[in-house]
Amino acid sequence: MSGYNGAKSRTGWRARRDLLLAAGAMIGFASAPALAQTLDSGSGLFASQKLSNTPSANYGMAPLPAPEALVPQVNQYLRQYGTAVLLDNVDEFDGNITGAKTGSANAGQYGLEWDQDWNVLAGIPGFETHAVAVGRYGIPDSRIFGDNLNPSQEIYGAGGNTAIHLVFFYGEETAAHGRFNLAFGRFPSQNDFDSSPLNCNFQNNSLCGNPKAFGDNVSNSSYPDANWAFRLRVRPVSQVYVQSGIFFTEDNIYNATNGYRSGFHLDSSHINGEYFPVEVGFEPAWGADKLPGHYKVGFGYDNNNHASNYIDQNGAPIPYTGLPAQERKGGTIAWVSADQMVYRNGPGATDGIIVKGDYVHNDPRYSTRADQFTIMSLDRDFWHARPFDTIGLLFNYTKVAGSLGKLEALQQELGEPIIGTGGTFVSNNDPSIPNGVQNYTMDIELNYQIHVFRGVTFAPDFQYFIRPNAQKNLPDAALLGFKSHIELF
């Protein structure tokens, strides 16, 4: 059922502006049609909102991004050369008013993106290139009260603490009227697999940019770091796609070592294996109102070695012997994702109520997060006087691997420090906040995106952490903050 009367639709500038906002997704490459999903987007938010490799329903190549910016004349001029650029800033502030300790913190990112349509510039049909560089600053507030699993500010991390960090650069060829798309170069696997431009309408890192469970395994590269890779997507019909690829995994990809600090480590000296994801998607438009949906299922396998959470090299519990962990070759991950517009408020591609669910499963023998469930909803154009304002609600549940909890319980029983496997997801930086046996955690987020001006959004934000860091010995934490996004050009 729809709350939108087509006979009284707000056409003209409203419809064109809706299209520009949807086409303004400037940060990566979604496997589902971002044109039907994007609300607030930019190189500062997430790397999987690019339209450029999303074929339209009639198999045509998608247009270059057209950001809603403070100075739109820049891209209006460059478009005659097949060029689109975006310079933007995302800033995220949070202060926790309850928790093990109270305090506040700010994190942000400035980004520059360049997209080039070589058919316009040089007459090469279907070929485009894309590049993004960013700079990140600040820390997440969630560290103050002891959470290291789901950072309160997604924009923090892996930027190398440098003025310029290269995120990705690659080319893609679209052929057969959009039925065939090949990407090649250096880019993150999570740009395309289990990616959604809806995710970064939220601030918590549990969902933005990808479900955080993907970060347990560095074979699954995600923004702002990348691998050398090939990715192929085919569409036998307009509503169905199948995609797969080969991503050449590298050790220490998220650490400021081996050249990764700046992102300009481009040789193959640290390649240590391959990651092979596959995903199938169904993208219908239901009913007379053409309510868009995106349904995905995927699986990934990598051939790297992974250290056990609990067993040493001889098969005994690690705390008893102190020996190195047993390693096994090969890692797996599986995911299911679905989003659907259920009620239309207006004619725009995202003018309505959209609901989305996501589930990710990791191999619990070596991962930190064995399972993650997320449910979210967005409501846009509910107030026709402010058609671009959006309300968002997110719930996330993360289950820590039983093997890791078992290890921590044994460390506690033996009177040893509870350090788990020694990873950053366990140990707190503040000695006044105790570590503990990890089990599960939940967090809730509610925000209101205010469209302030062309190219400017401001979103007051509330978050609530239940069992921070999956520890029952840490009190719940309530956070108040905001996210701002400014597109300069």
Side-chain angles (χ1 to χ4, degrees), residues 6-7 43 54 72 201 219 234 275 335 380 407 433:
S43 67
T54 305
N201 287 283
S219 298
V234 296
Y275 171 57
W335 61 91
R380 182 172 187 247
L407 173 72
I433 300 178

Side-chain angles (χ1 to χ4, degrees), residues 131-152:
V132 166
V134 301
R136 289 187 160 185
Y137 54 88
I139 62 170
D141 176 70
S142 47
R143 286 190 172 186
I144 294 174
F145 55 86
D147 186 273
N148 292 296
L149 285 173
N150 298 313
S152 54

Side-chain angles (χ1 to χ4, degrees), residues 123-179:
I124 306 175
F127 184 59
E128 295 181 337
T129 55
H130 317 281
V132 166
V134 301
R136 289 187 160 185
Y137 54 88
I139 62 170
D141 176 70
S142 47
R143 286 190 172 186
I144 294 174
F145 55 86
D147 186 273
N148 292 296
L149 285 173
N150 298 313
S152 54
Q153 286 112 303
E154 56 78 24
I155 209 66
Y156 168 80
N161 196 27
T162 61
I164 299 175
H165 178 84
L166 178 64
V167 178
F168 59 71
F169 63 94
Y170 66 95
E172 61 172 340
E173 177 65 32
T174 303
H177 302 287
R179 293 178 182 265

Side-chain angles (χ1 to χ4, degrees), residues 367-388:
S367 63
T368 298
R369 305 168 183 84
D371 298 282
Q372 180 182 359
F373 302 86
T374 58
I375 301 173
M376 52 149 283
S377 65
L378 297 166
D379 189 1
R380 182 172 187 247
D381 197 13
F382 60 91
W383 183 7
H384 295 330
R386 299 192 55 81
F388 308 114

Side-chain angles (χ1 to χ4, degrees), residues 186 217-221 225-228 247-261 265 267-274 302 304-306:
R186 191 169 180 85
N217 183 352
V218 296
S219 298
N220 310 322
S221 57
D225 293 289
N227 305 118
W228 291 108
F247 293 80
F248 297 94
T249 63
E250 302 177 47
D251 56 357
N252 256 357
I253 188 173
Y254 296 120
N255 295 328
T257 58
N258 300 337
Y260 293 118
R261 182 175 184 179
H265 180 91
D267 65 38
S268 61
S269 61
H270 292 287
I271 291 177
N272 60 359
E274 296 82 36
D302 71 86
N304 289 310
N305 291 326
H306 298 278

